[in-house]
Each structure stands twice: as structure tokens, then as C-alpha cells.
Amino acid sequence: MDDTLLRVSDLKIHFFTYRGIAKAVDGISFDVQRGEALGLVGESGSGKTVTGMSVLQIIQLPGKIVSGDIVFKGTSLVTMPEDQARSLRGGKITMIFQNPRTSLNPVLTIGEQIDRVYRQHTGCSAKQTQERRFEMLEKVGIGDSIRFSKNYPHQVSGGMCQRAMIVMAIICEPELIIADEPTTGLDVTIQRQITELLGEMRQRINATEILITHDLGVVAETCDRIVVMYAGLLMEIATTKDLFSRPRHPYTIGLLKSIPRVDVDEEPIPLPGYVPNAYSRPAGCPFHPRCQFAEEICRQQEPALQEIEEGHFVACHLVEEVG
Amino acid sequence: MAQIKTLQPSLFHSIKTAFKRYDFEFYLLRRNPLTMIGLVIIVIVILLGVFAPTIAPYNPLDVAPAVRLQGPSTQHWMGTDDYGRDILSRVLYATRVDLSIAFSAVTLAAVIGVTLGAAAGFMRGGTDEVTMRLLDIVQAFPAFILAMGLAVVLGSGQSTIVYVVAFIMIPVFARLTRSEILSARERGYTEVARCMGATNQEIVFKQMLPNCMTPILVQYGLSMSYAFLDAAALSFIGLGVHPPQAEWGSMVNQGVGFIASGQWWMSFFPGLIMAITILGFNLIADGFRDVFDPKLRN
Amino acid sequence: MRLLLFSLKRIILLVPILLGISVVTFTMTHVLPGDPLYILLSPYAKQEDIQAEKVRLGLDKPLYVQYGIYLENLLHGDLGYAYRTRRPVTEDLKQRFPATLEVTMLALVLATIIGIPLGVQSAVKKDSSSDHFVRILSVGGVSLPIFLVGVILVYFVYFKWHLAPPPMGRIAMNVPPPKTITGLYLVDSLLTHNWTAFRSSAWYIMLPVFTLSFAMLAPIMRITRNSMLEVMNTNYVRTANAFGLPRQTVIYKDTLRNALLPVITSIGLILGWSLGGEVLVEVVFSWPGMGNYAVNSILNTDFAPVQGFVLVTATIYVVINLVVDLLYTAVDPRITI
């Protein structure tokens, strides 16, 4: 049965600046099934954050969705009128950002900021909102929620801010949560806490999650399926198990080789070269300049995503020979 | 280890290095129509000032009582003042005077201010504290009013205006340079340069200042506008250039008394040229800022 | 409570600055080249007066003693003697202070009420026609010298269109000024229900206020606009939008609340700069304020009033900056006391 919550079809997002056109996302398609945790993985500049923001339709000029569609429960988000989109944001679809400290308004108390999201989407009274807020703060492990609510963002640590953001993101029981590098920039011990908390909360309200990150370790633990992005295009889509045990795209293979692993007895080998600039992506397969298997066809033609096994998609001309 | 090739490090060197790094930004500047208009205005005004003796139809000091208080006509495009002097010629010569006052004042302020600021930012400690307190005290005064007080004491005249206007602009350059040097220090490449054997002088002039040049140059442009305004205002209240020498502010002042009787041209034309010149510098400074200020970029 | 302690701390820190100001004004008269006697006395002063002044100022004594005398005089409110008006400078300034205050305050209020909303509008509707209008107005306001604006207004509004009175004072010659309570004609006439005086004073203060206001408008609009643009690009505004808050809320509670903070800081600077502009306005409109007093003294080679004026305005400026600082501290929760 098709339980697709979100479907992205041939999405292209370009930024029109005085330096030229930056093709941040240049034709990606994937689905998100209800209830799953999808990992959107890529290095900086791969277009993953832009993709996440486009679901919420908060891409600002000079960026534009130039073509493609994002369909949420059967309704197109791209063509949705603004006020309708606004009622979805924070309600049915929410986003958690990185750098929680800078993502909160510095002149409002944390309590105020959580409250207004809740009241906007539910219209509850002040008292009801407050009760709900205390309830949620406790669930995310905030001890003194009264005091915490009166604090300003700069008065609490990054980890605490992120907990507050998590509350904001789940307080209206959304169907889809997009988490953009929620643990980047936090202390390592806190990172673990937040990752676990997020997973726990998500399961409690039965929400679907898209986790955007560059950290393969995190997706290994928390995600059901993984989408690998590079230079605005998709390289590989697979279940977590399949991706880590049988990666088929040279980029994925290279990525996995470049991180230290406990289950494999080898030295990490970093990927040669650099991520291409969004203004000047190489022709053909975007990865070909760094790929050890690259051949003529890779330089000329952009590979399409092929389903090589059930649920395992790869965009590589030479997928048969590789791996 | 290779020897570091050294040119005699200097302010000039800093400026040259800075220019080389910003090819793209200069290209952007050229594409902005307002900035280009500003540039055209400034060039025209400078040319007018430089060639005033050649272009001016009359001697600006020639008194001709027979033709006094005449409105614009074919013989006197901008009319005559109450002494019969040709306003156009006076405006041209005034442009010379004001341009030289402004350039001298801002350059003086920039050189002194940047040096002070670099010294304070680089050497820190006592030098920094003392410099900052001194700047605090100077900036505790409303700038124009301090200029008035100083001009009164030093006696009116063109060189006084230059010194006084320069003086009130020094703190801005000093603070700007100081904060740029401080953030350059934080970036740590001074340590690297020092390890490679660079002298203090080299570090300041070859490494740090070129990076600061952009905000300093933007400030230079902005300060030109203020210099014109302050110099003209000081002359307007009688502290500046002496009549009968022509200067924008004093010409406007001379014409004020005649406005009430409808003789507008004596104040209007010098005011117009002044406003256009200042506008030109503002447009350029704005254009520079829009391109070089990272905070305002999209 | 902590704000009070902080204020006290800052007030105490004022003292060195005020001392510094007095040193500067002292230096201007006693140390810089130029005969202090010439500076402080009219060239028409009689020999006995010159001698008396010499002794009074202690000009034959070492510099630090002179400064001590100067400081002592200051603390007693003695700013010297104005030969032109034959009165102590302090009294002259006190008498003219309300006239200056009235114009400056009204101009600030007008400039803020118009400038901030226009700046906000300009940022929110960036690159629209209203944005371009605001930017042109800004550039014009910064490029046109204040005295020129005043002169233009006088020519058109008074001379050509007869919509303003002749630039000759605070109130019509045939209308007696209202009873002095604050010295501010508008306030006093309202307090005493003197409608004739109110109408007349409002009529006369109109152009000076517009002139000064126009000059203040430009920086206020521009700073508001730039601040708004900067804040609009922050992460927290993005968050507010991402959580579906209504546009108006995001503009006011998130963007404007934060954007106004740098504007508040700038108000102090703008006011300081307008103290200078006020002098020019008073000259153009023959407005009987402190600035005009100082300029007239210059023209009459009576220099003691000028130094007194410089000292007083500097002190006022320092106090204004302190108030602005305290205001900012009270409003921004990030500032720890």
C-alpha cells in the first residue's frame, strides 16, 4: 500500500545572484514514507539544507524553485498559496535548525517563543498553552521548566536551546519533522543526548522525519533509509542496512572509506578533491572529477537513478562494474 | 628557508595590495548605475575646480557696482551678487577652494587616524588605553561644535578650517583602523608572519592594513561628504574662508539676506553645486559599501 | 534595582569624561596659540578690565593653577562674562536654552515618527518604488547641507507661497509670549490655555523644525532600513517564518524588535550631530537659541560665550549618550549589568 507522506519530483532550486546562477538542487526525486526516518546525507554544498527548506517553502530570494514539485499528502506544496503554506508550517510540517542559539529570537523569552507557536496553530488559551508547554519541556528533560521558560536564549546552553527548539517542533504534533543538522555545533556528549531525544520524541507522536546531516554515524543509528546527495543531485538511495553493507555508488563507497569505523579493520582514506562550486558544476556526472572509475560517458552524460535492487537506487553509469 | 622579499613597507604598498585583491568587486561597482553617476559627478566637479581659472568668464574678485544684484542672464549665467561679481566665476573658484579643503582635511585625518588606530590596535596595552581615552574625550563633543570652538581660537581662514575639520574626523579613522587591526590579530596570521621573520612594520603594512583598506577607503569617501558640509557650515557662520574669497558656504551666507526680497540666485547656485558634489561622493561611498560590506550582501 | 546600580556606575564614569571636556575647553582658551585675553575679552575692553581679568583668571600663574581656577569657576557655574550682552554667560545660556530645546526635541520626535516606519517599509518592500523613494530621500537628506535646506524652505514656503512667517523669531511681534513655566512656548501656551500664543508659536517654529527634522530623517531612515535588512537575514527570523507565524508578527516581534536596537544606539549619535545642525538652523531662522547666541558672539569677537557654549553642549551630549546607553541596556536582555 502506498503510504507516501511526501513525494519530491525532479526538484530544481536555483539561486540567481550577480555571480551567476547557483544550481543548488538540480533535479532530485525521492519519496518519504509515513512513519519512517529518512536520512538526507551529503557534504556542505550538496544542496541538502536547501532541499529541506524547500519543503517548508521558505526559500528566499535570490533562490527560487524553478521546476519540479513537492507533494505532501497529495497536495502540491510548490503551488500552494502562501497563507495555506503558513498554516502548515509549524503545525503539520516543522523544522529544527542547526545553531539553535542563533535560531531563537534573542529578545523574547523561551517560554514566549514556544507559546506563540502553539497558540498560532491551536488557538488555545494562555493557560492551556502554558500547561502544554510545561508538559513538553519536562518530556525533553528540562528540570525547572518554570525558570527555563523565563530565560532568554543567550542565558542557556546550546543543548538546552536545541531542546527548546525540539519542543517547538513537536508541540503541535506534526506529521513531518525536518531536522537540519540538529546536533552540529553542540558538544559531543550533548549531541548524543539530542539525537536520542529526537528519536524518542518522534516515535512518541508517530511522526515522520527527514534528518539532514553530513554525519554518517548519526544516520546509521537513527534512520531507516538514506538518500545520498552530491552537488545538487542524488547519488544513491537505500535502506541503512543496505547502504552500509553494500554501497554501490563510488561517492558513497568513498565516503564510507573516509570515516573511521569499528566494524572494518582499515585505515580511513579521505576522498581526493573538493566539492564543486554550485555555480560551476562539472558536466555529466558531478562526481566524475573525483571518481577513480570515471570513464568517458561519465564526463558527458548525467546518470539517472536506477533501481538495481529492491529499494536500492544508484545514479552511476558504471554501477555494474563498481563494488 | 626562503628569504622574504621586502619592498619598503608603506601605506602606499598597503593600498596597492588591497586594490589587486578586489577585481571582482570593482567589476560590480562598474555595473551599479548610481555609483557610476557618482563617479561622473565627482570627475566633472574636480575638472571644473582644476580648470576654473581657464573656464571662468570673469575674475571672481572683480567688483562691478553697475551690474549688481542681477538675476541669471546671458552675460552672467548665474547672475551677480551685491558687489556685481559674477556668481558663476565665483562658484567655479569656490569649487577649487572647497575641493582642496576637503581633500586636505580628509587625507590629513586619514593618515593621522589610521596611524593612531594601527598603533593602538597593534601594540595594545598602555598605548591603546591612552589613545582610546583621548579619542573618547574628543568624541564627547558634538563634532561641529568642537570645530566651531577650535576655529574661533585658531582664527578663521582656510588652513584653520583644514586643521579643524581634519581634527574632528580623526577619531572615526582611528577607531575603524583599530577595530580592523584587532580582528586581524585575532585571525592569527600575525603569529605566522612573525615566525617567518617579518618585522613589526612589515606585519602591519603588508599583512594587516591591506585587509583593512576597504573600510578605510569607504570611510574616506563618506568623510569627504562630511568635510564639505563642515567646511561650508563653518564658513556659513563666518568662521571660514574670508570674503571676498569665494567659498560655497560663505557665498550662501552672503545670499541669505537677499532671499527675503526674492533674489535667490546668490545662495542657490553655490548651494546647488555643493549639494551635487556631496551627492556624488555619497553615491560612490554607498556603492562601495554595498559591494564591500559583507553584512549587506544577499 | 540592578539597573539603578548600573546607572550609578555609569554616572560615576561620567566624571573623567566631563573633566576631560573641561581640559579641552581650557586648552582651547589658555594653551593654544592666541592670546587668551584676546579670546576671552572684547578688543574694546578697557585697560583696567583687562588687568582685572588677568588677575581673575590667574594668567600670570602656572598652567595647572589656571586650570584649577577654571575648574573651580565651572563648579560654581561661572562660565565667564559676555561683553556683548553685559551678562554672565551662564545666564545668557540659561535664558536661551528652552528655545534650542524646543526645536531639537520636536525635530527628533517628528523625524522618528516619520523615519522609522518609512525605514521599515523600505526594508520590507525592498527594491519596490517606495523603497527607492525612501532611499532617494535619504541620500538627499544627507547630501543637502542643513543651512541650504533652511534657505530653500524660507525662499519657497515663506517668500513664494506665503505659508510661513518671516524667519525672525519664536512668535509674532504683536503676540506676547506665554507666561514662562518651562520656557518652551508651545508647552507654556498649552498649560496656560493661551491659544493665540500657541498658534503663533507653532506657526513660527514650523520651518525650523522641518529643516532640522529633514536632516535627522535621512540617517534615521537609513539606519532603520539597514538594520531591518540585516535582521531579516538572521536565523531567528527564518525560524519564526518556518513555524508559520503570521507575517505581521514576524515583522514586528521578531524583525523590528531586534532591528530597533542599533537604531536606539544611533539616536545618541544623531542627536549629537543635530546639536551642530541646530546651530545652523538657528542662524538661518534668527532663532533666539544658544547656537545663534554663540554665532553672534563670534561675529562680535566676544569669545567667552563661545567656549561656554561648547562646554555646555558637550555636557548635554554626554548626558544624552548616557541616557541612550541606559535605555539600550534596559531594552536588550543580552546586556548583562
Side-chain angles (χ1 to χ4, degrees):
Chain A
M1 216 214 23
D2 185 24
D3 208 5
T4 309
L5 188 66
L6 190 78
R7 166 164 288 144
V8 176
S9 326
D10 201 33
L11 185 66
K12 288 193 189 173
I13 306 172
H14 293 177
F15 284 76
F16 300 89
T17 71
Y18 49 79
R19 275 188 216 248
I21 304 183
K23 300 188 177 169
V25 174
D26 207 19
I28 62 173
S29 310
F30 63 92
D31 292 349
V32 184
Q33 301 297 313
R34 188 183 285 279
E36 75 170 340
L38 181 76
L40 184 51
V41 166
E43 297 169 273
S44 313
S46 55
K48 52 193 201 303
T49 301
V50 172
T51 307
M53 285 173 62
S54 70
V55 175
L56 276 179
Q57 293 293 298
I58 53 176
I59 306 276
Q60 283 186 326
L61 292 173
K64 256 190 80 154
I65 300 180
V66 292
S67 68
D69 204 1
I70 308 174
V71 176
F72 177 71
K73 295 202 299 184
T75 326
S76 163
L77 293 176
V78 172
T79 55
M80 188 180 276
E82 172 65 12
D83 27 312
Q84 233 188 312
R86 230 170 240 274
S87 66
L88 271 188
R89 287 178 211 139
K92 292 268 155 264
I93 310 181
T94 63
M95 192 155 175
I96 299 174
F97 295 96
Q98 53 178 312
N99 291 322
R101 265 243 185 104
T102 58
S103 299
L104 289 172
N105 188 332
V107 300
L108 296 179
T109 60
I110 296 183
E112 258 185 280
Q113 298 190 53
I114 298 175
D115 282 357
R116 60 183 187 156
V117 171
Y118 190 64
R119 293 185 74 172
Q120 174 65 28
H121 292 282
T122 61
C124 288
S125 73
K127 188 132 199 322
Q128 289 171 311
T129 310
Q130 191 184 49
E131 274 165 23
R132 172 92 175 143
R133 182 198 344 133
F134 286 150
E135 183 196 329
M136 301 303 307
L137 283 174
E138 244 163 284
K139 288 223 182 87
V140 297
I142 306 275
D144 187 353
S145 35
I146 301 182
R147 186 132 163 262
F148 186 71
S149 303
K150 292 205 192 119
N151 278 338
Y152 290 93
H154 70 276
Q155 292 174 304
V156 301
S157 71
M160 303 293 259
C161 280
Q162 196 58 296
R163 285 175 207 260
M165 280 219 76
I166 290 176
V167 167
M168 276 168 77
I170 62 175
I171 198 168
C172 300
E173 300 204 341
E175 296 185 49
L176 175 64
I177 303 175
I178 305 172
D180 186 3
E181 311 250 20
T183 55
T184 308
L186 299 176
D187 291 336
V188 178
T189 41
I190 309 287
Q191 281 189 13
R192 191 148 188 69
Q193 285 176 17
I194 298 291
T195 311
E196 279 176 6
L197 181 65
L198 198 49
E200 196 191 309
M201 291 294 113
R202 180 182 83 77
Q203 274 168 0
R204 247 193 233 235
I205 57 174
N206 241 316
T208 312
E209 179 185 351
I210 300 179
L211 177 62
I212 303 175
T213 179
H214 61 271
D215 188 342
L216 288 167
V218 169
V219 294
E221 284 188 46
T222 56
C223 295
D224 305 312
R225 280 196 309 143
I226 301 178
V227 172
V228 179
M229 258 185 100
Y230 182 81
L233 293 172
L234 294 185
M235 299 288 107
E236 188 162 1
I237 307 179
T239 61
T240 313
K241 191 150 155 266
D242 283 347
L243 195 86
F244 278 87
S245 55
R246 287 194 308 274
R248 299 297 295 272
H249 194 285
Y251 177 55
T252 321
I253 298 172
L255 266 185
L256 288 170
K257 281 222 179 93
S258 68
I259 56 174
R261 293 174 66 171
V262 277
D263 57 335
V264 176
D265 192 20
E266 275 167 24
E267 287 283 313
I269 310 168
L271 273 170
Y274 298 96
V275 176
N277 190 305
Y279 292 95
S280 50
R281 221 184 58 219
C285 173
F287 187 61
H288 83 252
R290 303 167 77 182
C291 182
Q292 56 179 144
F293 304 105
E295 291 186 13
E296 195 51 40
I297 186 177
C298 303
R299 286 184 256 279
Q300 304 204 341
Q301 215 187 359
E302 212 179 281
L305 269 179
Q306 300 166 269
E307 189 166 11
I308 52 164
E309 286 165 5
E310 184 177 342
H312 194 152
F313 300 76
V314 182
C316 180
H317 294 297
L318 310 168
V319 62
E320 307 295 323
E321 292 96 58
V322 170
Chain B
M1 200 184 254
Q3 274 242 306
I4 301 179
K5 188 153 175 278
T6 49
L7 289 174
Q8 191 47 38
S10 69
L11 211 57
F12 174 65
H13 186 99
S14 305
I15 297 180
K16 253 188 19 170
T17 321
F19 269 98
K20 276 189 258 176
R21 294 188 197 190
Y22 288 109
D23 285 330
F24 176 66
E25 276 81 356
F26 281 123
Y27 163 71
L28 274 185
L29 279 178
R30 268 179 273 141
R31 291 193 56 183
N32 182 346
L34 285 180
T35 316
M36 286 298 106
I37 293 179
L39 188 63
V40 165
I41 291 178
I42 294 178
V43 166
I44 292 182
V45 169
I46 293 181
L47 287 176
L48 285 179
V50 165
F51 292 109
T54 329
I55 313 176
Y58 298 84
N59 184 323
L61 303 173
D62 268 350
V63 166
V67 290
R68 57 192 293 269
L69 295 175
Q70 284 188 354
S73 63
T74 39
Q75 280 147 318
H76 296 276
W77 290 2
M78 293 185 179
T80 60
D81 67 2
D82 55 327
Y83 286 94
R85 295 176 291 212
D86 176 43
I87 303 248
L88 172 61
S89 311
R90 285 177 68 74
V91 163
L92 286 172
Y93 272 83
T95 307
R96 257 168 107 83
V97 169
D98 278 291
L99 278 174
S100 80
I101 292 178
F103 273 118
S104 318
V106 178
T107 310
L108 189 60
V111 168
I112 298 181
V114 167
T115 312
L116 274 180
F122 191 69
M123 298 198 278
R124 306 231 63 195
T127 322
D128 190 16
E129 280 300 313
V130 167
T131 315
M132 282 295 107
R133 294 311 124 232
L134 288 177
L135 292 179
D136 278 343
I137 294 182
V138 172
Q139 286 182 300
F141 289 84
F144 181 68
I145 294 180
L146 180 60
M148 271 172 68
L150 287 173
V152 159
V153 166
L154 295 175
S156 50
Q158 195 168 331
S159 43
T160 305
I161 301 228
V162 172
Y163 294 139
V164 159
V165 171
F167 184 72
I168 59 177
M169 294 194 297
I170 289 175
V172 175
F173 281 104
R175 278 190 201 268
L176 184 62
T177 311
R178 176 181 179 270
S179 80
E180 290 287 320
I181 297 270
L182 285 181
S183 52
R185 275 177 72 118
E186 259 176 47
R187 272 180 254 138
Y189 53 81
T190 36
E191 273 79 42
V192 174
R194 218 189 284 277
C195 289
M196 290 171 71
T199 65
N200 273 353
Q201 232 191 336
E202 277 169 358
I203 296 179
V204 172
F205 286 114
K206 284 175 76 172
Q207 298 266 6
M208 299 175 111
L209 277 186
N211 284 323
C212 317
M213 270 305 137
T214 355
I216 293 177
L217 286 175
V218 172
Q219 187 58 49
Y220 191 95
L222 284 173
S223 295
M224 282 296 290
S225 314
Y226 289 125
F228 287 119
L229 287 168
D230 288 330
L234 283 172
S235 301
F236 179 76
I237 55 179
L239 279 173
V241 169
H242 295 132
Q245 204 185 1
E247 193 275 338
W248 288 334
S250 64
M251 284 176 75
V252 174
N253 185 355
Q254 279 158 28
V256 165
F258 297 92
I259 294 267
S261 38
Q263 286 145 331
W264 52 275
W265 51 91
M266 284 176 281
S267 294
F268 175 73
F269 287 110
L272 180 69
I273 300 297
M274 195 178 155
I276 292 179
T277 310
I278 296 177
L279 180 69
F281 278 98
N282 276 332
L283 287 177
I284 290 232
D286 267 358
F288 254 83
R289 198 169 28 191
D290 278 349
V291 167
F292 287 99
D293 186 344
K295 282 188 288 183
L296 293 181
R297 287 257 206 106
N298 255 341
Chain C
M1 182 37 64
R2 281 163 79 202
L3 186 62
L4 230 74
L5 286 174
F6 179 72
S7 319
L8 244 79
K9 204 169 88 168
R10 291 285 273 112
I11 292 177
I12 295 177
L13 282 178
L14 268 192
V15 173
I17 298 271
L18 290 175
L19 276 179
I21 291 178
S22 68
V23 168
V24 171
T25 40
F26 172 75
T27 313
M28 286 202 285
T29 47
H30 291 239
V31 175
L32 283 182
D35 185 357
L37 278 179
Y38 167 69
I39 290 168
L40 294 171
L41 289 176
S42 154
Y44 302 114
K46 296 199 278 270
Q47 218 9 37
E48 311 92 77
D49 291 329
I50 295 181
Q51 204 41 43
E53 198 67 5
K54 229 184 179 159
V55 170
R56 188 182 80 93
L57 291 173
L59 287 177
D60 43 345
K61 302 217 182 64
L63 261 182
Y64 62 87
V65 176
Q66 288 186 41
Y67 176 66
I69 298 177
Y70 179 74
L71 200 57
E72 203 190 314
N73 286 338
L74 276 187
L75 289 170
H76 285 119
D78 179 2
L79 286 167
Y81 190 76
Y83 270 88
R84 186 171 61 95
T85 56
R86 312 222 147 268
R87 290 203 314 185
V89 171
T90 320
E91 268 195 45
D92 278 343
L93 287 177
K94 249 204 288 197
Q95 187 200 19
R96 288 165 172 75
F97 175 68
T100 302
L101 183 69
E102 209 171 13
V103 174
T104 317
M105 282 296 109
L106 273 179
L108 181 65
V109 166
L110 192 64
T112 328
I113 291 181
I114 298 183
I116 291 185
L118 277 183
V120 169
Q121 183 73 347
S122 169
V124 167
K125 295 208 153 70
K126 186 168 187 279
D127 294 328
S128 68
S129 48
S130 57
D131 181 21
H132 288 310
F133 168 70
V134 165
R135 295 177 78 179
I136 292 177
L137 202 61
S138 268
V139 173
V142 173
S143 308
L144 285 172
I146 286 194
F147 56 86
L148 189 65
V149 173
V151 165
I152 291 176
L153 282 178
V154 166
Y155 179 70
F156 283 104
V157 183
Y158 158 62
F159 178 73
K160 281 235 129 162
W161 302 332
H162 305 292
L163 288 174
M168 274 169 34
R170 297 175 74 182
I171 202 166
M173 298 228 272
N174 54 352
V175 175
K179 175 157 168 252
T180 307
I181 308 175
T182 60
L184 307 169
Y185 281 16
L186 289 174
V187 173
D188 288 345
S189 45
L190 278 179
L191 289 176
T192 54
H193 305 291
N194 186 343
W195 307 123
T196 331
F198 182 77
R199 271 199 311 270
S200 186
S201 336
W203 183 230
Y204 272 75
I205 207 174
M206 191 178 69
L207 280 190
V209 166
F210 282 173
T211 311
L212 190 58
S213 199
F214 180 71
M216 288 171 154
L217 193 65
I220 288 181
M221 278 195 303
R222 161 191 290 184
I223 292 172
T224 307
R225 178 182 184 271
N226 288 345
S227 187
M228 286 285 291
L229 286 177
E230 205 179 308
V231 168
M232 274 159 59
N233 275 328
T234 56
N235 285 345
Y236 53 87
V237 168
R238 179 184 63 177
T239 305
N241 276 316
F243 280 90
L245 296 170
R247 259 195 109 215
Q248 290 295 90
T249 309
V250 177
I251 292 180
Y252 288 109
K253 272 208 140 145
D254 295 276
T255 319
L256 192 55
R257 280 280 287 265
N258 282 284
L260 277 183
L261 295 175
V263 175
I264 294 180
T265 329
S266 311
I267 294 275
L269 288 171
I270 293 175
L271 265 179
W273 174 85
S274 336
L275 286 176
E278 168 70 11
V279 172
L280 297 166
V281 167
E282 286 180 17
V283 168
V284 170
F285 291 94
S286 299
W287 190 261
M290 299 195 300
N292 202 2
Y293 170 69
V295 171
N296 283 333
S297 305
I298 295 174
L299 295 175
N300 283 282
T301 61
D302 188 9
F303 295 143
V306 184
Q307 304 312 320
F309 170 69
V310 173
L311 188 74
V312 167
T313 35
T315 311
I316 293 176
Y317 183 40
V318 165
V319 170
I320 288 177
N321 275 324
L322 176 71
V323 169
V324 168
D325 254 350
L326 292 177
L327 184 65
Y328 186 88
T329 308
V331 164
D332 187 349
R334 282 168 292 188
I335 310 287
T336 40
I337 297 176

